[in-house]
Each structure stands twice: as C-alpha cells, then as structure tokens.
C-alpha cells in the first residue's frame, strides 16, 4: 500500500520504474499495480496546458448543473455529463448523442442500473483545446489494459461543495466500481478544502494507493476491472466560506 502526496509525486507512481516517458510509466504502473498517479507537471506538459489555457479550462466548472441524486444523499455536487467515441488508430473523436447515465449491475450500490439524468456538456467545454490531448493521453494509458480498436469515453466534470454545516462527499456510495476499463480523476482546482483523499483498493479490500490531489493537473488512473475506488469527504479550512473540489472524471470502455 502507498500513501502519496501529489505535491511531491514523480511522473508515474505505483508500478515498475525505468520507463522512457510519463505515458510509458503510467502504462507500466497500470499493468503491474492497476493504479497510477501522474504528476501535474507531466500531465499538463502532455496536454500542452500553460497557466492561461488551464485557467480557461477550469472556468468551465463555474457552469455546471445541480446533481439532484447526490443531494438526496446530503451532498451538494454539481456536474455535467457527455460521451464520445475515440478511435486510437486514426485519432477520430466523435461526440455521441446525449443519453441518461447508467452504471452496470454489481458496480455502484447506490445507483447501479438507475437512469440518472444530468445536463449535457456545454459547447464551450467540448470545444476546449485541452480536451483532445487529455483523451489522447488516457487512450494511450488504457491501451496497456486492452488493445481496443475504439473507446467509449464518458466525461463527468464534477464540483463538490462543503460548508461549515455540511461536508462535501465526492463518493456517497463509498467504495465502488464504474463498470469500465479505465477510470481517471483529473484535479482541476480546489479551494479552501481539507480532505478529499482518493483511495484505490483491490476487489478483496486491500489498499493499493491513497493520495490527496492538491496540484491542478494531477491525474489518478486505475484499472476499474480489478479495483474499487472512493474519495473521502471535504470540509472547509476557513469555516466562514465554502470549500470546493473540482475534478474531471473520465472513463474509457472498449467498444465491442
């Protein structure tokens, strides 16, 4: 088990060392350990994201819709949802029709097989220049798990909000699977927040890695077929104002 602070994490953590690039390191981590933490510096370099581009990207999180399903569990969470088709051989990326989000049976104890309706991704978000290089990076990493001819990419920008009176719980369902091949969590921003530790476990409950994502651009990847994941609640450091944690959860599933 590893407890890692992303403020000092190397490019890829959780597997064999000696890879030639951050992407190869991530592929090696996923193959050997089912989980990998990529540093913010390496991810933002792969995405071509300078501070100006990142600020523009992060601004999309100010335009999310309320998640009424999380509200029923006592958490204020804002989100949108969309899906794409990605063909690695050609780089073709196609946005798919907007549909309800459904998680398969035996994955998420709160929401499995339930149609959840979320607001679609905005046109500005879909057109953001940082999205395609992120998908390319994730596709390259996922190729270590499955030589898919085409990926279904599901995209979830999340903001979890906490106040002095209400904690913000990113995963009210607890440890769970998403029913995909690769699950990833990209930290976009966090403000006035303590907590929010991301943990990945084997299916029998052994902890593989725990980390708190602090640096915007830090990216946690895991093989969803062989692991469970969850995130601890956040609370405000300064109780006079809200805390928030902005992440982009992206999953890849091999299209058959």
């Amino acid at each position: 088990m590893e407890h890692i602070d992303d403020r000092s994490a190397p490019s890829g953590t959780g597997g064999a060392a000696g890879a030639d690039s951050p992407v190869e390191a991530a592929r090696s981590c996923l193959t050997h350990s089912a989980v990998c933490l990529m540093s913010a510096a390496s991810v933002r370099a792969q995405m071509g994201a300078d501070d100006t581009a990142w600020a523009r990207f992060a601004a999309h999180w100010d335009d999310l819709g309320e998640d009424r399903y999380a509200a029923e569990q006592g958490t204020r969470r804002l989100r949108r949802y969309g899906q794409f088709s990605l063909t690695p051989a050609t780089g073709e990326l196609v946005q798919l029709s907007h549909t309800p989000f459904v998680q398969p049976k035996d994955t998420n104890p709160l929401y499995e097989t339930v149609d959840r309706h979320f607001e679609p991704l905005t046109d500005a978000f879909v057109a953001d220049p940082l999205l395609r290089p992120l998908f390319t990076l994730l596709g390259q990493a996922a190729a270590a798990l499955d030589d898919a001819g085409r990926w279904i990419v599901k995209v979830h920008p999340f903001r979890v909000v906490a106040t002095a009176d209400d904690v913000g719980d990113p995963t009210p369902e607890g440890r769970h699977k998403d029913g995909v091949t690769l699950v990833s969590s990209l930290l976009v921003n966090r403000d006035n927040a303590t907590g929010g530790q991301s943990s990945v476990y084997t299916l029998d409950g052994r902890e593989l890695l725990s980390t708190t994502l602090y640096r915007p651009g830090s990216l946690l990847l895991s093989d969803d077929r062989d692991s469970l994941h969850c995130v601890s609640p956040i609370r405000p450091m300064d109780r006079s104002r809200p805390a928030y944690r902005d992440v982009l959860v992206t999953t890849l599933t091999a299209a058959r």
Side-chain angles (χ1 to χ4, degrees), residues 47 52-65 78-81 119-131 155-159 188-189 244 246-248:
M47 294 173 64
T52 299
W54 195 266
R56 181 198 62 238
F57 186 60
H60 298 301
W61 272 253
D62 293 329
D63 188 17
L64 301 180
L78 300 96
R79 68 188 293 176
R80 290 182 181 271
Y81 166 65
E119 293 185 30
L121 303 173
T122 64
D123 291 343
F125 179 89
V126 172
D128 195 288
L130 294 189
L131 209 57
V155 183
H156 312 259
F158 284 102
R159 169 173 288 177
V188 175
N189 198 18
Y244 64 82
D246 292 350
V247 298
L248 180 61

Side-chain angles (χ1 to χ4, degrees), residues 201-217:
Y201 302 86
T202 62
L203 298 180
D204 62 4
R206 178 172 58 87
E207 186 177 287
L208 292 171
L209 183 146
S210 286
T211 183
T212 301
L213 303 178
Y214 287 104
R215 293 188 182 277

Side-chain angles (χ1 to χ4, degrees), residues 2 10-22 24-30 32-33:
E2 295 186 72
S11 296
T13 304
D20 294 333
S21 72
E24 286 302 317
R27 289 163 57 90
S28 179
C29 287
L30 289 169
H32 291 88
S33 304

Side-chain angles (χ1 to χ4, degrees), residues 22 102 127 145 168 175 182 216 250:
V102 185
L145 306 178
R175 299 181 191 181
L182 178 78
T250 307

Side-chain angles (χ1 to χ4, degrees), residues 121-174:
L121 303 173
T122 64
D123 291 343
F125 179 89
V126 172
D128 195 288
L130 294 189
L131 209 57
R132 177 178 283 274
L134 173 63
F135 290 170
T136 298
L137 167 60
L138 295 176
Q140 291 170 342
L145 306 178
D146 192 314
D147 186 21
R150 186 167 63 92
W151 294 105
I152 301 300
V153 182
K154 297 188 176 183
V155 183
H156 312 259
F158 284 102
R159 169 173 288 177
V160 174
V161 182
T163 66
D165 297 322
D166 296 295
V167 300
D169 193 348
T171 53
E173 61 270 55

Side-chain angles (χ1 to χ4, degrees), residues 2-256:
E2 295 186 72
H3 293 267
I4 297 168
D5 186 331
D6 82 333
R7 290 170 292 190
S8 59
S11 296
T13 304
D20 294 333
S21 72
V23 173
E24 286 302 317
R27 289 163 57 90
S28 179
C29 287
L30 289 169
T31 300
H32 291 88
S33 304
V35 63
C36 176
L37 173 63
M38 295 186 70
S39 72
S42 63
V43 172
R44 290 177 62 164
Q46 293 288 320
M47 294 173 64
D50 60 17
D51 289 345
T52 299
W54 195 266
R56 181 198 62 238
F57 186 60
H60 298 301
W61 272 253
D62 293 329
D63 188 17
L64 301 180
E66 294 284 347
D67 180 345
R68 64 182 178 87
Y69 306 95
E72 292 169 356
Q73 305 299 322
T75 284
R76 185 166 185 237
R77 186 165 68 182
L78 300 96
R79 68 188 293 176
R80 290 182 181 271
Y81 166 65
Q83 55 182 339
F84 298 81
S85 169
L86 173 65
T87 304
T90 63
E92 182 183 23
L93 181 66
V94 178
Q95 186 176 12
L96 302 178
S97 299
H98 189 66
T99 61
F101 177 56
V102 185
Q103 289 182 275
K105 185 179 179 181
D106 299 326
T107 56
N108 186 316
L110 278 182
Y111 304 119
E112 62 186 17
T113 71
V114 174
D115 285 8
R116 285 186 286 166
H117 297 264
F118 301 114
E119 293 185 30
L121 303 173
T122 64
D123 291 343
F125 179 89
V126 172
D128 195 288
L130 294 189
L131 209 57
R132 177 178 283 274
L134 173 63
F135 290 170
T136 298
L137 167 60
L138 295 176
Q140 291 170 342
L145 306 178
D146 192 314
D147 186 21
R150 186 167 63 92
W151 294 105
I152 301 300
V153 182
K154 297 188 176 183
V155 183
H156 312 259
F158 284 102
R159 169 173 288 177
V160 174
V161 182
T163 66
D165 297 322
D166 296 295
V167 300
D169 193 348
T171 53
E173 61 270 55
R175 299 181 191 181
H176 67 284
K177 297 165 61 72
D178 284 357
V180 299
T181 304
L182 178 78
V183 61
S184 71
S185 182
L186 175 73
L187 182 71
V188 175
N189 198 18
R190 58 183 286 155
D191 182 64
N192 191 39
T194 184
Q197 178 175 273
S198 301
S199 299
V200 181
Y201 302 86
T202 62
L203 298 180
D204 62 4
R206 178 172 58 87
E207 186 177 287
L208 292 171
L209 183 146
S210 286
T211 183
T212 301
L213 303 178
Y214 287 104
R215 293 188 182 277
S218 297
L219 178 64
L220 182 63
L221 308 166
S222 58
D223 182 346
D224 191 60
R225 303 166 306 176
D226 293 323
S227 65
L228 304 169
H229 60 275
C230 65
V231 183
S232 69
I234 66 167
R235 294 172 173 81
M237 292 186 291
D238 176 354
R239 291 171 57 85
S240 68
R241 59 189 182 93
Y244 64 82
R245 178 179 182 268
D246 292 350
V247 298
L248 180 61
V249 172
T250 307
T251 67
L252 277 69
T253 308
R256 303 301 185 193

